[in-house]
Amino acid sequence: MFARLFGDFRWRLAARLVSIANAFRGLVMDVIVLGSGVVGTTTAYYLAAAGARVTVIDRQTGPALETSYANAGQVSPGYSTPWAAPGIPLKAAKWLFEKHAPLRIRPDGTLFQLRWMLSMLFNCTNSAYSINKSRMLRISEYSRDCLRSLREVEGLAYEQRTGGTLQLFRTHKQVDAAARDVEVLRELGVAYEVLTPDELQRVEPALARVKDHLTGGLHLPNDETGDCYMFTTQLAERAERQGVKFMYGRNITDVLTDGKRISGVKVDGEVLHADHYVMAMGSYSRELLLRLGLDVPVYPVKGYSITVPLENRDAAPVSTILDETYKVAITRFDQRIRVGGMAELAGFDLELRQGRRATLEFVLQDLFPGVGPMAPDSFWTGLRPLTPDGTPIVGGTKLANLWTNIGHGTLGWTMACGSGKLLTSLIAGTAPEIDPSGLAVDRYTRSGTQTGLQVAPAA
């Protein structure tokens, strides 16, 4: 405990000295952000707010049209949990034979898929889990605070709710396993409440009809919900008012370098130049980074969602539910219910598989029967960029003016504002508001060599 407190004091002292040294510096520079999802857009916003001239490039016709488009709609720092956890390898083996399994593995024909899964396996230890979860909570809690401030300053409205997240347990083993998460939450001062089956309806009244299916829950009252697409499009508009230039419908074909710095980005045959470059292309970042000698362990984990019209309000959740058994989230919007989750390791496959839709519908009807009809045109899939340890890769690289803001997995919106504001501080050379240690790509290096297999060594 003393070592942790001393380390925190030492970082804060160093950060204060940096802040004083940079007090009169202005962020007058050109920055190119690659990607206009929720992470790229929030990064562009904070850079522009700090005084940078920002250009955002994306192949889509507008912001948030890929992974950020129809996600589960959660801002859930309290549920920032690594997929790599003790017991997961055994669970994954059992899931292979279950109809509504939360995980499916389809070989994509690459060695990288196998290497990534092996790295994730190495992180399924108690020590690695505690380190990774604490890192995720650090940036997620900060990000939620940034989001609240941003929402107030910019007057954003995206069907948000602040009723928290309720993680539901269907077995006593799940209740026992949650004790590990509760310990980390308590240590980091994150608000939580452990609930019995009879207490669940106090948070979510509609669960009274199905409490016999459940063994308890973990309520995280500071979590929020909303429509990520609505949030991102509104924030892009605010960023444009600050001078951010969005170049939509443009293809990034290459990144040019002299081995020490980025010298330009080739966009549809045209080379664009800037002082700094931010990689925020989600799962598609790795291909470009490989060309620069950066072997970044970010894998496209496929997820699904359906959006259901809300007809019976009494049968609907108040905020958001996370079904621990099926890894499915059910989120309440104003006039809709969003159901999303599951994971497929299948490369860049975007096929809509009806078996996955059946699982989403099953979980919704099992927990909230009669909430609304199944809309036949609401089925969606997206690729979530996940690291083996669950923590995003936010920070500098071996190339002096190249920065990364990738690897947020299923918590892209949860971590977007915090990682965007943190990265802005790092680029500007000003003192960040949270400790950035353990978040950059160098945590995956061993003796200066990119491995993508190393377990996080220290918090």
Side-chain angles (χ1 to χ4, degrees), residues 225-260:
T225 62
D227 189 314
C228 182
Y229 174 71
M230 292 176 63
F231 167 82
T232 309
T233 53
Q234 289 182 35
L235 188 61
E237 293 174 359
R238 306 303 197 275
E240 285 185 307
R241 295 177 190 174
Q242 295 191 44
V244 175
K245 179 182 179 181
F246 286 86
M247 298 177 62
Y248 298 122
R250 304 292 294 274
N251 294 303
I252 302 164
T253 56
D254 204 1
V255 180
L256 310 179
T257 178
D258 61 6
K260 296 181 180 180

Side-chain angles (χ1 to χ4, degrees), residues 11-12 14-20 22 422 425-426 428-434:
W11 168 77
R12 291 184 182 279
R16 180 58 178 164
L17 293 175
V18 171
S19 179
I20 294 172
N22 289 284
L422 170 63
S425 297
L426 297 176
T430 58
E433 295 175 336
I434 61 169

Side-chain angles (χ1 to χ4, degrees), residues 195-315:
L195 304 176
T196 66
D198 289 331
E199 293 172 328
L200 294 175
Q201 58 189 304
R202 172 164 52 82
V203 176
E204 288 288 354
L207 291 176
R209 292 181 291 178
V210 298
K211 69 176 184 178
D212 292 342
H213 298 177
L214 308 169
T215 57
L218 177 63
H219 184 223
L220 303 161
N222 287 332
D223 288 3
E224 301 185 3
T225 62
D227 189 314
C228 182
Y229 174 71
M230 292 176 63
F231 167 82
T232 309
T233 53
Q234 289 182 35
L235 188 61
E237 293 174 359
R238 306 303 197 275
E240 285 185 307
R241 295 177 190 174
Q242 295 191 44
V244 175
K245 179 182 179 181
F246 286 86
M247 298 177 62
Y248 298 122
R250 304 292 294 274
N251 294 303
I252 302 164
T253 56
D254 204 1
V255 180
L256 310 179
T257 178
D258 61 6
K260 296 181 180 180
R261 299 175 60 85
I262 301 300
S263 57
V265 177
K266 185 175 290 188
V267 181
D268 291 330
E270 177 187 4
V271 178
L272 304 180
H273 304 280
D275 300 303
H276 293 271
Y277 302 81
V278 177
M279 183 65 70
M281 293 171 57
S283 299
Y284 297 93
S285 300
R286 184 171 185 269
E287 179 182 354
L288 284 178
L289 291 173
L290 277 175
R291 302 181 194 179
L292 303 172
L294 292 167
D295 187 3
V296 178
V298 173
Y299 191 84
V301 178
K302 185 178 181 181
Y304 297 87
S305 76
I306 57 174
T307 305
V308 178
L310 176 57
E311 289 191 350
N312 185 351
R313 295 181 177 275
D314 292 337

Side-chain angles (χ1 to χ4, degrees), residues 167-175 200 207 210-217 321-328 330 362-368:
Q167 182 182 7
L168 290 179
F169 306 126
R170 294 174 180 263
T171 70
H172 292 291
K173 285 185 177 181
Q174 291 172 349
V175 175
L200 294 175
L207 291 176
V210 298
K211 69 176 184 178
D212 292 342
H213 298 177
L214 308 169
T215 57
I321 301 291
L322 281 164
D323 191 317
E324 179 63 17
T325 299
Y326 300 102
K327 307 296 184 185
V328 167
I330 303 174
F362 163 76
V363 174
L364 177 61
Q365 292 300 320
D366 187 59
L367 293 175
F368 300 100

Side-chain angles (χ1 to χ4, degrees), residues 429-446:
T430 58
E433 295 175 336
I434 61 169
D435 183 359
S437 62
L439 301 179
V441 70
D442 59 7
R443 76 177 184 269
Y444 285 107
T445 64
R446 188 177 296 152

Side-chain angles (χ1 to χ4, degrees), residues 38-106:
V38 66
V39 172
T41 299
T42 51
T43 302
Y45 172 87
Y46 282 113
L47 284 166
R53 296 180 292 262
V54 185
T55 299
V56 180
I57 306 170
D58 199 290
R59 65 182 181 180
Q60 297 293 342
T61 57
L65 289 177
E66 293 199 28
T67 306
S68 304
Y69 181 69
N71 62 23
Q74 299 168 283
V75 178
S76 50
Y79 194 69
S80 295
T81 300
W83 288 20
I88 285 296
L90 180 59
K91 289 181 180 179
K94 293 180 179 179
W95 287 335
L96 295 176
F97 305 98
E98 295 181 4
K99 178 180 179 181
H100 294 299
L103 174 66
R104 287 281 187 267
I105 301 174
R106 292 185 172 85

